[in-house]
Amino acid sequence: MPPALEEREVVLVTGISGSGKSVALHALEDAGYFCVDNLPPELLRDFIRVERGHGVRRMAIAVDVRSANSLPVLLPTLSALKAEGVRVRSVFLNSHTTALVKRFSETRRPHPLSKPLEGGDDPHRALVDAIELERNLLADLREQSTVLDTSELRPAQLRLWVRDLVGATSSRLTLVFQSFAFKHGVPLDADLVFDVRVLPNPFYLRELRPLTGQDAPVAAYLREQPEVLEMMSQIEAFVRRWLPAFEQDQRSYLTVAIGCTGGQHRSVFFVETLAQRFADQVATLKRHRELDARS
């Protein structure tokens, strides 16, 4: 193992333009990482060597479609770094196209792959085409990364989630349980999705409506429902059965998304319960997309 590359920790921040890479990079900088934006992949190994000489142990590097011509060398470079003992984690930020179009429209910034418009061109269509082209260019990198869906996240949520991700132990797979509301869409970063909308809904009980699945009265009500306990046991058994296979697949994270109608009661209760049950077996994180958006 080359001594110049030992014990380095590198977080690669990548993903679709407009999905929050600048916010993520700032969050990592606040967490003590030395951050660089838009580093050409060809310079990645030399950069790590140089910064080690400066005493830098943790680095975060943003690489995206702005370096489109260099993207083919990125994955082989990452593989080489890992083989040389560098601890590399790639975080891919993603959003659905509707959210991206809205963000570009609000900021009035051009997409990196946008072409000059000619007379009669539809700006909306041109932007959507540029986004889809970017998805295709980054498809292989996405497959090798931990995907984080930022479609419904506020910047404060994204900062928190990024810091949670990089703060989790990387010696084994990290299991992420996430609650969400189906009415706001299924998270794009979900590996497994379970629908608990068929279960009794505390929302229809006046005294439970303003509460959440984190509150004891809601939890007590749901524990009294036989079908809730049955589905909880089945989801737990499924995840336990296949968790070793996901670990053998060299995954860093497995995101289990559990959805109900509003993302307030049932899905939150399931996430809280399952995260507690798996905490002794594997590194575990929990997220509540809709509840976190309120805080």
Side-chain angles (χ1 to χ4, degrees):
M1 180 186 301
L5 292 178
E6 288 181 347
E7 300 181 349
R8 299 297 88 210
E9 180 184 359
V10 177
V11 176
L12 187 74
V13 180
T14 185
I16 305 302
S17 300
S19 57
K21 291 188 293 296
S22 295
V23 173
L25 210 59
H26 290 153
L28 293 171
E29 187 173 28
D30 291 342
Y33 285 77
F34 182 81
C35 298
V36 176
D37 188 17
N38 198 24
L39 182 74
E42 299 96 331
L43 302 180
L44 189 56
R45 297 178 72 192
D46 290 338
F47 172 79
I48 294 171
R49 288 193 178 96
V50 169
E51 292 309 318
R52 182 184 188 277
H54 295 161
V56 177
R57 296 184 55 82
R58 300 196 301 171
M59 304 166 224
I61 301 168
V63 176
D64 54 43
V65 78
R66 289 173 292 176
S67 302
N69 292 334
S70 303
L71 287 177
V73 307
L74 181 56
L75 288 179
T77 299
L78 295 179
S79 297
L81 287 170
K82 292 177 182 178
E84 293 166 351
V86 182
R87 182 178 161 197
V88 180
R89 286 187 280 183
S90 178
V91 179
F92 189 101
L93 304 183
N94 196 14
S95 290
H96 56 66
T97 299
T98 302
L100 295 172
V101 169
K102 180 180 179 182
R103 292 171 190 173
F104 276 106
S105 298
E106 290 173 346
T107 62
R108 298 186 180 275
R109 297 183 61 184
H111 188 280
L113 299 180
S114 294
K115 298 178 181 179
L117 295 178
E118 299 179 358
D121 287 346
D122 180 1
H124 176 81
R125 182 70 258 168
L127 176 56
V128 171
D129 289 344
I131 292 170
E132 294 309 312
L133 174 59
E134 183 177 22
R135 293 193 194 281
N136 291 333
L137 290 173
L138 297 176
D140 291 340
L141 181 56
R142 183 187 189 280
E143 291 300 313
Q144 302 296 320
S145 304
T146 299
V147 180
L148 189 57
D149 179 11
T150 70
S151 303
E152 303 291 335
L153 299 188
R154 295 180 296 106
Q157 283 179 272
L158 177 56
R159 286 192 290 269
L160 178 62
W161 286 19
V162 167
R163 293 183 67 167
D164 283 346
L165 277 178
V166 300
T169 176
S170 63
S171 60
R172 300 174 57 193
L173 177 145
T174 297
L175 186 57
V176 181
F177 288 103
Q178 178 176 343
S179 67
F180 71 96
F182 271 99
K183 65 182 180 181
H184 294 147
V186 177
L188 298 178
D189 51 358
D191 297 300
L192 302 173
V193 178
F194 295 97
D195 184 351
V196 298
R197 288 176 292 181
V198 297
L199 301 176
N201 191 352
F203 176 83
Y204 294 110
L205 298 178
R206 187 189 316 173
E207 65 274 19
L208 300 182
R209 181 174 300 178
L211 304 180
T212 77
Q214 295 174 319
D215 293 313
V218 173
Y221 167 78
L222 290 172
R223 290 193 189 102
E224 293 174 352
Q225 313 305 315
E227 55 266 63
V228 170
L229 300 181
E230 181 179 5
M231 184 175 286
M232 183 78 72
S233 297
Q234 290 175 346
I235 293 176
E236 179 182 1
F238 182 90
V239 175
R240 289 193 186 281
R241 166 63 181 85
W242 292 105
L243 189 59
F246 284 108
E247 288 181 311
Q248 292 171 9
D249 196 37
Q250 302 298 311
R251 288 175 179 245
S252 298
Y253 299 90
L254 177 68
T255 299
V256 180
I258 301 176
C260 62
T261 305
Q264 178 178 336
H265 296 102
R266 294 165 292 181
S267 62
V268 172
F269 170 72
F270 269 72
V271 163
E272 291 288 331
T273 303
L274 290 168
Q276 184 178 30
R277 292 185 181 182
F278 281 88
D280 293 336
Q281 176 183 349
V282 63
T284 304
L285 295 175
K286 58 185 179 182
R287 305 176 187 149
H288 300 296
R289 191 180 71 182
E290 270 54 68
L291 295 188
D292 291 347
R294 303 176 187 174
S295 58

